[in-house]
Amino acid sequence: MEIELPGELVKALRLARNVVVLTGAGTSAESGVPTFREAQTGLWSQYDPQQLATPRAFQRDPRLVWEWYAWRRSLVSEAEPNAGHLALARLAGLFPNLDLITQNVDGLHQRAGSPCVMELHGNIMRTKCFDCGVIIDDYRDPKQPLPRCTVCHGLLRPDVVWFGESLPYEVLSNAFAVTRACDIFFSIGTSSVVQPAASLPFEALKRGALTVEINPVRTPLSPYITYVLSGTSGAVLPDLVQATWPT
Ligand code: OAD
């Protein structure tokens, strides 16, 4: 389904100097990576995050947590970037001052060619020590015995942000800094309910930025947004980039 792109938005995008894009799980949905909160298909409708995505869950049953993350890693490694990821990578080539902030841990933006992605919630393919925090890149599948840190022998865990944990401080403060300075802020494929990411568009609005939401459904953010584009990121983003810079 084609959606009507507002001419004013296309004009504003051509003239914009600083653009910030915030993405969520919906951006990867068309690559076959499940979202979290959608009623039938979202991960949190089938799995209890308290059993799988908290430090306490890991202390209680590291094997169960590892099995779940190994399954999600396999989904991510089989997935390919979709048309939405590719359009954002193209946008980065057109705007030297485009900042891409993602809540996704799947690395698909980077694989599509987007440089300098700010990962607010970590990266599922990276591993770190539960005890000393050292990052161990050469991950082995968690077979018996569970993977251990080469520095302190603590248990290794996926390098993602779990419930009850803080976001990486530098990434987060940088995300707020670029948001405060942008002319246009995009919120794409996110339910806009998880903090602190959900505050970013409000920070942009406070500073007078034009805001755009791309999502097939309305979210709690929609009433505040300048342009709500109702559709999937894989359909809307390529159209928007093409309308703005026809090839
Ligand atoms: P959610 O699952 O909460 O929301 C996904 C959003 O994407 C929904 O609003 C969908 O309507 C929308 N959507 C679905 N398909 C789409 C498509 N093809 N194109 C565009 N939008 C689409 O995911 P997030 O908002 O990313 O955190 O969730 C935020 C955080 O909550 C995640 O990073 C994760 C989760 O708990 C951690 O794991 C720390």
Side-chain angles (χ1 to χ4, degrees), residues 2-222:
E2 266 199 23
I3 70 149
E4 184 107 2
L5 293 169
E8 290 298 313
L9 169 59
V10 170
K11 225 186 283 171
L13 198 50
R14 275 193 202 125
L15 297 173
R17 297 237 300 271
N18 299 307
V19 175
V20 169
V21 177
L22 170 69
T23 64
T27 318
S28 294
E30 285 153 285
S31 295
V33 180
T35 58
F36 293 94
R37 288 176 187 76
E38 288 181 277
Q40 303 301 321
T41 53
L43 290 172
W44 298 152
S45 67
Q46 298 160 59
Y47 302 95
D48 178 0
Q50 294 304 321
Q51 304 296 323
L52 298 164
T54 69
R56 199 163 238 250
F58 187 74
Q59 282 168 315
R60 200 169 40 227
D61 194 344
R63 173 157 305 279
L64 176 74
V65 172
W66 260 124
E67 279 169 5
W68 192 66
Y69 276 93
W71 167 68
R72 286 185 56 205
R73 278 178 167 181
S74 70
L75 288 182
V76 164
S77 46
E78 282 158 22
E80 292 296 332
N82 64 53
H85 294 116
L86 296 170
L88 287 175
R90 187 174 161 220
L91 207 57
L94 295 162
F95 275 115
N97 289 344
L98 181 125
D99 288 289
L100 178 52
I101 306 165
T102 190
Q103 297 165 87
N104 298 346
V105 296
D106 55 32
L108 286 172
H109 286 304
Q110 293 91 327
R111 281 171 54 196
S114 284
C116 310
V117 182
M118 294 180 216
E119 293 179 317
L120 291 177
H121 293 165
N123 189 304
I124 199 169
M125 302 312 268
R126 253 190 341 251
T127 304
K128 74 174 177 188
C129 178
F130 187 80
D131 292 337
C132 75
V134 73
I135 305 285
I136 307 279
D137 272 330
D138 66 333
Y139 160 76
R140 293 175 295 115
D141 263 329
K143 302 193 175 78
Q144 284 285 1
L146 285 165
R148 295 243 167 219
C149 175
T150 47
V151 178
C152 77
H153 209 58
L155 281 176
L156 294 179
R157 55 165 281 184
D159 186 15
V160 296
V161 175
W162 281 333
F163 287 93
E165 293 186 314
S166 305
L167 275 64
Y169 176 77
E170 263 188 38
V171 182
L172 184 63
S173 52
N174 199 15
F176 272 94
V178 295
T179 296
R180 285 188 199 107
C182 75
D183 316 306
I184 305 190
F185 184 97
F186 283 86
S187 175
I188 306 176
T190 173
S191 55
S192 296
V193 295
V194 174
Q195 294 293 355
S199 295
L200 287 166
F202 289 99
E203 199 63 32
L205 280 163
K206 220 163 42 184
R207 304 283 167 149
L210 187 153
T211 52
V212 186
E213 180 174 58
I214 301 176
N215 199 313
V217 305
R218 287 181 71 79
T219 74
L221 177 66
S222 309

